DNA sequence: ATTGCTTCCGTAGTGAGGTACGGGTCTAAG
DNA sequence: CTTAGACCCGTACCTCACTACGGAAGCAAT
């Protein structure tokens, strides 16, 4: 082994990871990736570690972690902080579950409204609109606070 | 009957609907609500119609419509466009269902990772971190494109 | 009449996660 | 040698739905 590190420019790195060059630079500004030293006069080069870091970031994002949270995860990188990492994971899991059940409520309400519209009616009015007008049955006591 | 319209200032209107004054003004700027004429020298007043409009907007938001989409819904207000409204509702329903199933994938992946962390391991490494490092099993072929 | 809360209005800032621009420098191909 | 295409870097801009700011003017109670 001892294969020579396969070296990339930022463009190649970005393409390989499926993100834009600007995105990589943005992660560097956010402190999620380091900027390699640039050799006299020119272009920085990146290795598989940089690529792995990018994969880590995207995987974490896919799980719903924000870039700030990913920064936190990255400080736990050495494996000695498994408990903290699990804690973060559990919090995220909870928030994902909340989102799911909220969306399921929305699904039920919306489905019902659409059904009512489809099943022919007096024509003079629209059940969906009517419901919107008086607040949609089912905002199950968490009125307001949409965001 | 013929009860005199119960008249409100913007502050009362906003509080009654559970939103901020600035939010009402914002909706006016967005064209979702009209600004009543102001009587010589001063303060505009709002009636139940304005309140109903605010309820309509919040109910629609709760269902996942964006303010732009709500503007569109509002043009269909007269009940004669039930088909168009239903169409919009169906599109939204589809997108809600997509979100749900995406989140359910995330839930499964995250749950598995957290479980692995909890069930004691060699200590030298963290299963969650390890998975993040090599991309999380289960990004089920929709790699990248998190947003 | 003075205090003190609202309203009015335009403009600007927030947060998240980027994307775009523009001017300058490098490098590789022809 | 020239030219096309990366790269470097800072700064500005984008979307979405608000939220804040600041000064002037109105209104209600003391």
């Amino acid at each position: 082994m001892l294969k020579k590190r396969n070296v990339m420019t930022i463009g190649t790195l970005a393409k390989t990871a499926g993100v834009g060059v600007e995105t990589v630079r943005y992660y560097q500004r956010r402190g999620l990736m380091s900027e390699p030293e640039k050799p006299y006069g020119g272009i920085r080069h990146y290795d598989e570690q940089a690529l792995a870091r990018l994969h880590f970031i995207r995987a974490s994002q896919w799980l719903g972690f924000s870039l700030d949270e990913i920064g936190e995860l990255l400080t736990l990188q050495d494996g000695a902080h498994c408990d903290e990492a699990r804690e973060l994971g559990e919090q995220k899991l909870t928030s994902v579950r909340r989102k799911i059940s909220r969306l399921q409520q929305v699904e039920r309400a919306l489905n019902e409204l659409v059904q009512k519209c489809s099943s022919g009616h007096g024509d003079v009015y629209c059940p969906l609109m009517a419901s919107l007008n008086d607040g949609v049955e089912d905002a199950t006591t968490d009125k307001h606070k949409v965001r």
Side-chain angles (χ1 to χ4, degrees), chain A:
Chain A
M1 283 130 201
L2 263 172
K3 195 182 71 174
K4 204 134 196 186
R5 297 227 154 276
N6 114 25
V7 158
M8 299 170 271
T9 68
I10 195 173
T12 315
L13 172 69
K15 190 173 294 175
T16 308
V19 304
V21 168
E22 301 302 328
T23 304
V24 174
R25 290 185 25 75
Y26 175 65
Y27 291 164
Q28 292 173 335
R29 289 200 297 276
R30 294 276 308 229
L32 299 177
M33 299 188 60
S34 54
E35 308 187 41
E37 296 303 313
K38 69 172 174 181
Y40 313 94
I43 284 159
R44 301 178 203 283
H45 39 68
Y46 298 82
D47 59 12
E48 296 103 9
Q49 286 214 59
L51 186 56
R53 173 60 59 97
L54 230 24
H55 286 324
F56 183 101
I57 294 170
R58 301 308 271 190
S60 304
Q61 275 190 306
W62 185 79
L63 290 174
F65 291 99
S66 70
L67 296 185
D68 277 353
E69 289 168 329
I70 294 169
E72 202 172 341
L73 283 173
L74 286 167
T75 67
L76 311 174
Q77 271 281 15
D78 55 14
H81 300 77
C82 190
D83 287 351
E84 287 96 318
R86 197 196 58 217
E87 180 60 27
L88 289 172
E90 278 168 357
Q91 284 167 22
K92 194 50 61 181
L93 188 50
T94 302
S95 93
V96 167
R97 286 178 172 150
R98 262 203 311 276
K99 277 184 202 161
I100 290 174
S101 72
R102 190 262 189 195
L103 282 173
Q104 282 170 338
Q105 276 178 46
V106 169
E107 203 254 70
R108 282 192 294 275
L110 204 41
N111 189 41
E112 197 182 319
L113 292 179
V114 166
Q115 295 303 316
K116 271 196 242 165
C117 277
S118 300
S119 60
H121 48 75
D123 213 9
V124 190
Y125 89 121
C126 172
L128 204 171
M129 287 299 173
S131 297
L132 288 176
N133 273 314
D134 35 81
V136 173
E137 304 315 319
D138 190 355
T140 30
T141 44
D142 65 347
K143 292 282 191 188
H144 317 299
K145 289 171 272 182
V146 169
R147 300 179 70 184

